[in-house]
Amino acid sequence: MFPTPIQHASKTRQRLYTVALPVVLFLWLLPLLAIFMTSIRPALDINSGNLFGWPSSFDLIDNYVAVFTQSEALRYFWNSVKVTVPTVIISVSLACLAGYGLAIYRFKLALPLFFLFIAGNFVPFQILMVPVRDLSVRTGLYDTVTGLVLFHAAFQTGFCTLFMRNFIRDLPRELIESARIEGVGELRIFWFLVLPLVRPAIAALSVLIFTFIWNDFFWATVLTQGESSKPITAGIRALNGQFVSQWHLVSAASLMAAVPPILIFFAMQKHFIAGLTLGATKG
Amino acid sequence: MKSVVPPVRRSWLHQHRVAIAPWLFVAPALLFFSVYVIMPIFQSIAISFYEWNGLYNAEGESTATWVGTQNYVKLLDDDRFFVSLKNNLIWLVFYMLAVPVGLAIALFLNQTVTGIRVYKSLFFFPFVISQVVVGLIFGWFYNPDFGVIGSLWKAAYCEEVINIVGNVSTRCAKSPPDILADETWATYGIIVAGLWPQIAYCMILYLTGLNNVSSDQIEAARLDGARGWRMLRHVILPQLAPATFLAIVVTVIGALRSFDMIAIMTRGGPYGSTNVLAYYMYEAAISEYGDRYGYGSAIATVLFLIMLVYISYFLWRMYQDEKGR
């Protein structure tokens, strides 16, 4: 193990490490802690300039309730759910199929097609912006949740296919070949043999795509306009304008937006990290 | 010897199932991906040769007019374009700090003490949060009147004065810096905010990489007397190469994609000084002054070409890997 385990170091260094750990973490998360402290302050503190001292009262519940009752935050939140969940389902399902097709069969175009998905996944959003917006306007999907879902699902399919294809290719080939010799149909092989084996990959992709889409801001601003379809990220910006200098409410709203990805991350940490490392490094 | 069993008549479809099957599996994803990703790339490039406000006439025909390379010629004369390009370069250079800092934190955390798992996940937190939230947090951090910087400044340079009527006001020897309103420093202010989640990302890549470093090699190197810095350089880093590669790839792409934070923190200002191509394109294409789809698409095409260099490199690396299998 590198660096040398601290247990082998001198007592002083061990003690130093135990102290340094929480201190560094505190500094690292200072911005987040500061905004959390702000979100539980009363308006009075903000106006009187008491931003870093002890809050004069703890208004956690009042502030968070205020965010939801005085603004459209609840609706934005629900829109985010309506965009994120179907996107995850569609893109992961499509990628399971495509990943299987590209990993198992040896055909000439397998590699070029695979590279097409990878390349598409890395392009800057701006090169897609005008045509996608135009397409959405012409098909009546502009400013709708469906329009956002369709685009996100299509775009994320690239990354998901990359991931799935690599995962499936590492499965033992003999398994599939022997099933074929037994005369099992291709679809049945996929459904009964491969799908159960790729469950970890499905989990990893789901949590990752959930976080990506939940946090998306660019497409939310490009493809939506009104309140009816605006997700929480774009909503926060609107709230920021509405709650001018009411920092306690802006902070509360921002933290609320961060809660679902944080929960997902904590619940499925192992899968999340496996997904981020593209499954390239296992462990 | 002839088979006694009469040959079962199989349909053409069944005979060729192994050749057809992959296309059926790939088709839905490919169709979807082509409509929303592949085709728009070419459409954007085409639109960059037109002048268009995104509207259609009564017959449903596009109102775009062909202008040839005029949009690109205009780009060459556009100061804001070059400022954006320069800022992209600054982003690329300074965003790269995420890689060594991420490695440093990973090395710091790669221990087995009680609770280290919780520490690791808490360190990873910034990456999970939306960049919009990160932008808001840092925007507030930098605020000269009621942000962290402002307050620290006041503590150091200001004193409270009470006037005759009894009102308290503060008088400062130097007024606190307004980082995001300063043309020179605003971009760096945003990059620092952007580094926060990116460092977390690189850290997690390295932590995973460190997990897989072969302990045999470390022990062998230790017996040879390698320690500390030399060990890191000659034994550990080579083994971390896949993690480093991935960290650089995601950081470059992150730097060129920077949009959210700029939109939240400065909207490209003051006076366009924090613009990058990604944001300037958006501003040019959809702005209060009317939509300039053609001009925006020209900017997007330039950004795409820059990114294409990295994409090609990445694909080439992947291709080498595939050949090696």
Side-chain angles (χ1 to χ4, degrees):
Chain A
M1 201 170 154
F2 185 85
T4 321
I6 199 79
Q7 286 82 352
H8 297 249
S10 67
K11 271 269 168 306
T12 355
R13 287 194 64 168
Q14 281 190 43
R15 223 165 277 146
L16 204 68
Y17 186 73
T18 342
V19 177
L21 214 46
V23 171
V24 176
L25 179 69
F26 175 78
L27 291 175
W28 182 244
L29 291 184
L30 195 62
L32 207 58
L33 293 172
I35 201 173
F36 175 70
M37 288 304 282
T38 309
S39 79
I40 62 173
R41 282 175 196 284
L44 187 76
D45 278 12
I46 312 285
N47 296 331
S48 67
N50 174 21
L51 289 156
F52 302 101
W54 198 249
S56 59
S57 66
F58 290 91
D59 288 11
L60 179 109
I61 296 172
D62 289 359
N63 286 349
Y64 285 82
V65 168
V67 167
F68 283 118
T69 50
Q70 291 175 21
S71 74
E72 298 281 336
L74 200 61
R75 192 207 288 248
Y76 300 147
F77 211 85
W78 179 235
N79 283 339
S80 273
V81 174
K82 283 197 293 185
V83 169
T84 310
V85 173
T87 301
V88 169
I89 296 171
I90 297 175
S91 57
V92 173
S93 313
L94 289 181
C96 282
L97 290 167
Y100 177 79
L102 294 175
I104 297 297
Y105 300 95
R106 299 251 152 103
F107 61 117
K108 245 191 210 145
L109 284 174
L111 208 57
L113 278 178
F114 178 53
F115 280 5
L116 188 74
F117 281 111
I118 302 175
N121 171 57
F122 285 139
V123 299
F125 294 149
Q126 282 71 18
I127 193 88
L128 313 178
M129 191 186 99
V130 166
V132 168
R133 193 175 146 108
D134 180 49
L135 180 71
S136 303
V137 170
R138 276 187 295 145
T139 50
L141 291 169
Y142 178 70
D143 205 18
T144 64
V145 166
T146 319
L148 264 181
V149 168
L150 287 179
F151 173 78
H152 279 314
F155 189 81
Q156 296 303 332
T157 298
F159 174 74
C160 294
T161 302
L162 155 70
F163 192 91
M164 265 308 167
R165 183 265 190 186
N166 281 347
F167 194 92
I168 295 175
R169 195 198 38 194
D170 289 344
L171 296 176
R173 266 190 93 80
E174 305 79 49
L175 220 62
I176 290 142
E177 242 129 60
S178 57
R180 240 181 230 160
I181 292 166
E182 301 270 324
V184 184
E186 299 299 317
L187 208 59
R188 290 175 66 89
I189 295 180
F190 169 73
W191 190 260
F192 292 108
L193 195 67
V194 175
L195 264 196
L197 290 173
V198 298
R199 250 184 268 157
I202 294 177
L205 278 178
S206 304
V207 291
L208 211 60
I209 300 302
F210 181 94
T211 314
F212 287 167
I213 302 305
W214 186 275
N215 289 340
D216 163 72
F217 173 71
F218 181 75
W219 293 103
T221 53
V222 170
L223 294 181
T224 70
Q225 199 171 32
E227 308 291 306
S228 60
S229 55
K230 195 176 276 180
I232 188 80
T233 41
I236 286 179
R237 174 144 97 166
L239 292 183
N240 196 21
Q242 187 191 334
F243 294 143
V244 182
S245 74
Q246 289 185 282
W247 273 100
H248 54 302
L249 296 186
V250 175
S251 309
S254 308
L255 283 177
M256 283 309 295
V259 166
I262 287 177
L263 284 184
I264 290 262
F265 168 65
F266 263 106
M268 320 257 299
Q269 216 185 115
K270 214 182 79 190
H271 293 301
F272 192 97
I273 290 168
L276 268 190
T277 51
L278 294 176
T281 42
K282 294 189 183 70
Chain B
M1 199 174 94
K2 277 198 171 173
S3 171
V4 205
V5 187
V8 187
R9 281 179 61 90
R10 298 200 160 196
S11 68
W12 179 88
L13 207 66
H14 197 265
Q15 282 170 25
H16 295 269
R17 62 186 179 134
V18 177
I20 297 165
W23 289 99
L24 294 180
F25 279 111
V26 176
L30 189 62
L31 184 76
F32 222 21
F33 200 67
S34 306
V35 170
Y36 271 113
V37 183
I38 305 302
M39 268 161 46
I41 295 175
F42 296 103
Q43 286 169 328
S44 270
I45 296 172
I47 292 172
S48 76
F49 295 104
Y50 286 89
E51 196 176 299
W52 187 32
N53 57 7
L55 296 179
Y56 292 88
N57 63 16
E59 280 83 50
E61 290 159 343
S62 158
T63 57
T65 45
W66 171 266
V67 293
T69 55
Q70 208 177 307
N71 284 325
Y72 292 93
V73 175
K74 259 194 258 170
L75 274 185
L76 293 177
D77 236 6
D78 185 351
D79 287 342
R80 303 186 72 152
F81 170 72
F82 285 103
V83 169
S84 308
L85 203 61
K86 190 193 86 191
N87 282 337
N88 264 123
L89 207 66
I90 297 177
W91 267 88
L92 267 178
V93 170
F94 286 91
Y95 219 43
M96 274 301 152
L97 282 175
V99 178
V101 178
L103 174 63
I105 297 181
L107 289 172
F108 175 67
L109 289 178
N110 195 32
Q111 294 287 351
T112 45
V113 296
T114 28
I116 196 73
R117 282 184 58 118
V118 179
Y119 274 106
K120 285 178 186 169
S121 18
L122 287 174
F123 265 92
F124 188 58
F125 241 62
F127 183 75
V128 185
I129 307 171
S130 154
Q131 297 219 343
V132 172
V133 176
V134 175
L136 275 175
I137 295 178
F138 274 82
W140 170 69
F141 228 67
Y142 291 143
N143 191 300
D145 298 321
F146 44 80
V148 176
I149 303 271
S151 303
L152 288 175
W153 192 271
K154 277 185 192 131
Y157 290 104
C158 303
E159 52 176 340
E160 286 200 342
V161 269
I162 303 173
N163 66 11
I164 316 163
V165 198
N167 286 334
V168 183
S169 63
T170 48
R171 186 189 294 159
C172 304
K174 285 181 204 160
S175 56
D178 191 351
I179 296 174
L180 294 181
D182 184 305
E183 286 180 53
T184 328
W185 295 108
T187 289
Y188 298 96
I190 304 173
I191 294 176
V192 168
L195 276 173
W196 194 44
Q198 193 64 27
I199 288 171
Y201 193 174
C202 293
M203 175 203 82
I204 214 78
L205 293 176
Y206 277 120
L207 273 177
T208 324
L210 281 169
N211 243 342
N212 299 324
V213 166
S214 117
S215 45
D216 293 356
Q217 286 196 33
I218 298 182
E219 288 318 312
R222 272 207 184 110
L223 290 180
D224 289 340
R227 298 185 60 235
W229 181 246
R230 283 191 47 195
M231 173 80 104
L232 177 66
R233 229 199 95 137
H234 297 288
V235 183
I236 308 296
L237 276 186
Q239 291 194 62
L240 286 179
T244 307
F245 174 65
L246 206 54
I248 291 176
V249 167
V250 296
T251 306
V252 166
I253 288 171
L256 290 176
R257 271 195 182 162
S258 51
F259 174 89
D260 298 8
M261 299 222 181
I262 294 166
I264 292 294
M265 293 171 83
T266 61
R267 296 191 179 212
Y271 312 112
S273 62
T274 55
N275 249 333
V276 293
L277 291 181
Y279 191 79
Y280 186 43
M281 181 273 162
Y282 169 82
E283 203 184 57
I286 316 175
S287 71
E288 303 97 273
Y289 313 109
D291 298 345
R292 288 189 295 163
Y293 278 9
Y295 197 57
S297 295
I299 303 170
T301 304
V302 173
L303 181 61
F304 173 70
L305 291 178
I306 297 173
M307 200 83 108
L308 203 58
V309 175
Y310 291 93
I311 297 175
S312 317
Y313 174 67
F314 186 79
L315 287 182
W316 181 76
R317 281 278 301 246
M318 293 277 289
Y319 182 64
Q320 300 299 318
D321 278 0
E322 293 290 331
K323 272 203 310 193
R325 272 172 191 270

